[in-house]
Amino acid sequence: MSRIRDLGRKVATRVARRVGRAELFERPGEREPQAPLATPSPDTHAAADLAPGPEPDAPSGGPAVCTIADLASLEAALGPGGGLRVVNHWATWCIPCVEEFDLLKELRGQLGDIPLLGISWDLFDPRGDEDDIREHVENFGAGHALGWPTLLVGESVSAERFFEAFSISFQQIPQTWVVDDSGAIVHRIDGVLDADGVSTLLAAVRT
C-alpha cells in the first residue's frame, strides 16, 4: 500500500510540474470572487494522468467519440447554424476537468435534445503524436462514461491561433459555454463547475 501511495505522489508531482509549464488549467486562488479550488489529494487524483477509470456502464446521450479538428472544423462546430449547444473545454491531464465530470453528466441528463460537445486541449501540452492522443482522449472519455463527443484541437491549430479565432480571453480549462444558433457565447463558466454553475447554465439554455 505504501508503494502505491508513493507512486501516486510521484505521478501527482509530475502532473503539477507539467501544469506549471503549460499554465492551461486553473489553480487554487486564480478565480475571483469565487472560492479557490480545494487541493486534490495525490492518492485520489493521481490516476487522472494515467488511466481512463473504471469500465463504464452504457453511457447516456451518445458515445464518447473523439475527432481531430482543424480550424475550419472548429469554426463549423462553434459558429453560426449549429443551434443551441453547450460546449465544455477540457483535457485528460487537467485534474479539475476530471473532477467536474459528475456535474457534467448531471447537466447532460437535463439538457434533453440540446447537445453537449467537448473540446479537448490535450495537444496544447502534447504527450504523443496526434493520432495516439486522439485515441487516448477517446478511451479516457469512454472509461469515464462521458456520453457526448469531443473535438480534439489538432496539431495544425496552435493554442494562440485557437484563442485568437474564438476571442478566448480566459485561456485555461475547464470552461463551459452556452452557444446560440448565431455562434454567440450567451453564457459561460470560467473555471470548475459547481451546483450553482449547472443551475445558471440550465437557466441560460432555457432562456
Side-chain angles (χ1 to χ4, degrees):
M1 184 62 70
S2 62
R3 294 179 63 186
I4 294 174
R5 284 197 296 269
D6 290 342
L7 175 60
R9 293 190 184 97
K10 289 178 182 177
V11 172
T13 299
R14 188 173 72 247
V15 170
R17 286 173 179 167
R18 287 173 175 172
V19 171
R21 289 198 305 269
E23 295 186 345
L24 288 171
F25 75 67
E26 184 181 36
R27 290 171 293 176
E30 291 186 332
R31 273 190 297 170
E32 293 294 342
Q34 300 179 50
L37 297 175
T39 302
S41 163
D43 289 337
T44 56
H45 299 303
D49 192 45
L50 296 178
E55 288 297 317
D57 298 324
S60 61
V65 173
C66 178
T67 305
I68 298 169
D70 59 14
L71 189 59
S73 299
L74 291 164
E75 288 172 339
L78 299 175
L84 188 64
R85 70 220 101 146
V86 176
V87 179
N88 175 253
H89 298 257
W90 71 290
T92 61
W93 39 254
C94 167
I95 294 172
C97 298
V98 176
E99 290 176 332
E100 70 175 10
F101 281 170
D102 286 344
L103 281 174
L104 283 171
K105 292 175 190 177
E106 178 182 325
L107 173 65
R108 177 66 189 88
Q110 298 182 64
L111 286 175
D113 293 334
I114 296 168
L116 173 61
L117 173 67
I119 303 290
S120 169
W121 292 21
D122 271 77
L123 281 168
F124 291 167
D125 184 18
R127 306 180 184 191
D129 65 33
E130 190 177 60
D131 290 333
D132 287 344
I133 296 298
R134 187 213 62 78
E135 184 177 1
H136 168 66
V137 172
E138 183 168 281
N139 289 340
F140 194 92
H144 284 280
L146 305 186
W148 53 88
T150 286
L151 293 178
L152 171 65
V153 182
E155 289 178 340
S156 64
V157 185
S158 66
E160 292 77 13
R161 190 180 179 200
F162 178 72
F163 298 150
E164 180 180 2
F166 298 101
S167 301
I168 299 175
S169 57
F170 183 77
Q171 298 176 358
Q172 297 175 338
I173 46 177
Q175 56 180 292
T176 305
W177 302 348
V178 177
V179 181
D180 70 11
D181 187 59
S182 73
I185 301 169
V186 296
H187 186 77
R188 62 190 305 152
I189 301 290
D190 290 337
V192 181
L193 276 175
D194 56 19
D196 289 340
V198 170
S199 296
T200 59
L201 280 169
L202 287 170
V205 165
R206 291 164 183 155
T207 300

